[in-house]
Amino acid sequence: MPNSTTPLEERKTVEVCYAPSHYSLYGNNFDVVVVIDVLRATSAITTALHTGVKEIIPVATVEEAIQYKKNGYIVAAERDGKVVEGFDFGNSPYAFMNPEMVGKSVVLTTTNGTKAIQTASEKTVIIACLNNLTVVCEYLIELDKNVLLLASGWKEKMNLEDTICAGAIADHLIETKKFTSNEDSTLAAKFIFRSARDNMYTFLRSSSHRRRLMQLKIQKDVKYCLMVDTVPCIPILKNGKLVLLENNES
Ligand code: 3SL
């Protein structure tokens, strides 16, 4: 087990990828992919499982979601920040604090987050957001494997909120001196996180997605998603379903 003086060449790698379409550029050398969509998919997924939803079945397309709905599943569907017509739930974390969902499987499709999950589904995938930041960092340090932090972005463009979260995780891991990084994307994410960390809400004031969500009048969701360490659990993808990672599981 490496210690605090792990030589550089023995350290594990942590890198930040800004969007699913960049994923293949980062090669195949990662053991675990951490999918991040702070506003709002991964915050909603983490909240759902913490609140008692049995599992989240992420699907990339609305068509798949419709099929599940026809088969009697509870289905949440979001596109462009709005609940898709014909569905009862979108992507608000508050929608998943619902006693009727406790113990049930819930299907979810979102604009970017579920697409990112699907992109990495061949690997071990865990879910991160600001709400579960520290438990994710602790888990990754303990795991001691090569990590790719995959931001969901917005329609294949980089966004600030996912970059801040990825930068926070990368910064934390690299500070342990058990991890190292080579990519400028990781360095930039770290610097953006350090500039933002004292007041993320203000830092993100004019970010594209926050503006988008403000137009939809869901500032309450933004405030919720920017809270750090409020939902201490880790969703993991198993057989295409997101479930809670059990204690001591690796
Ligand atoms: O893109 C996504 O996956 C969503 O999180 C976007 S939104 O926050 O619901 O607008």
Side-chain angles (χ1 to χ4, degrees):
M1 182 76 179
N3 60 29
S4 57
T5 56
T6 308
L8 208 51
E9 62 281 5
E10 286 176 27
R11 293 181 196 181
K12 296 296 185 276
T13 305
V14 56
E15 302 294 2
V16 176
C17 171
Y18 290 143
S21 59
H22 299 187
Y23 180 74
S24 58
L25 304 177
Y26 284 78
N28 209 18
N29 195 24
F30 295 95
D31 306 301
V32 53
V33 179
V34 180
V35 174
I36 300 167
D37 187 353
V38 170
L39 298 176
R40 295 166 291 173
T42 58
S43 308
I45 290 165
T46 306
T47 296
L49 294 180
H50 194 251
T51 312
V53 169
K54 181 180 152 212
E55 59 195 14
I56 297 277
I57 305 173
V59 298
T61 65
V62 172
E63 290 67 34
E64 287 169 272
I66 291 170
Q67 283 311 318
Y68 273 103
K69 195 157 193 270
K70 283 185 184 153
N71 290 332
Y73 280 81
I74 301 173
V75 184
E78 167 276 333
R79 284 296 179 274
D80 295 328
K82 299 182 203 127
V83 179
V84 178
E85 210 182 310
F87 293 86
D88 300 323
F89 308 100
N91 197 21
S92 168
Y94 289 101
F96 298 93
M97 298 175 197
N98 179 344
E100 285 175 25
M101 291 185 184
V102 171
K104 305 259 174 63
S105 304
V106 175
V107 176
L108 175 67
T109 184
T110 72
T111 311
N112 306 286
T114 53
K115 186 175 172 194
I117 293 167
Q118 186 130 90
T119 300
S121 59
E122 298 291 299
K123 295 275 183 185
T124 299
V125 172
I126 67 163
I127 297 297
C129 54
L130 293 168
N131 300 157
N132 69 356
L133 186 63
T134 300
V135 287
V136 166
C137 291
E138 286 167 351
Y139 173 72
L140 293 172
I141 292 165
E142 184 65 28
L143 196 63
D144 196 34
K145 291 192 171 159
N146 295 322
V147 176
L148 183 67
L149 302 167
L150 174 59
S152 300
W154 182 260
K155 298 187 179 175
E156 302 305 342
K157 292 179 184 159
M158 174 259 208
N159 73 27
L160 272 183
E161 64 276 10
D162 295 346
T163 304
I164 289 171
C165 184
I169 298 171
D171 202 17
H172 197 94
L173 266 49
I174 292 166
E175 284 290 298
T176 64
K177 299 195 170 32
K178 293 177 178 176
F179 290 82
T180 188
S181 78
N182 300 308
E183 300 288 349
D184 286 358
S185 57
T186 311
L187 197 60
K190 248 173 58 177
F191 287 138
I192 289 172
F193 160 65
R194 288 183 185 186
S195 306
R197 68 177 151 199
D198 292 336
N199 194 342
M200 291 191 239
Y201 195 79
T202 307
F203 190 91
L204 289 171
R205 192 165 30 212
S206 40
S207 69
S208 58
H209 199 46
R210 201 174 139 200
R211 272 201 319 273
R212 227 173 271 125
L213 293 179
M214 264 161 66
Q215 276 161 15
L216 299 169
K217 300 202 178 357
I218 35 187
Q219 288 97 320
K220 192 178 162 203
D221 285 14
V222 175
K223 288 199 169 137
Y224 178 91
C225 295
L226 296 186
M227 289 194 291
V228 176
D229 289 341
T230 46
V231 192
C233 68
I234 306 176
I236 185 167
L237 191 66
K238 282 191 179 163
N239 304 319
K241 295 171 181 173
L242 292 160
V243 295
L244 278 185
L245 184 84
E246 303 294 336
N247 283 345
N248 308 323
E249 201 180 332
S250 58

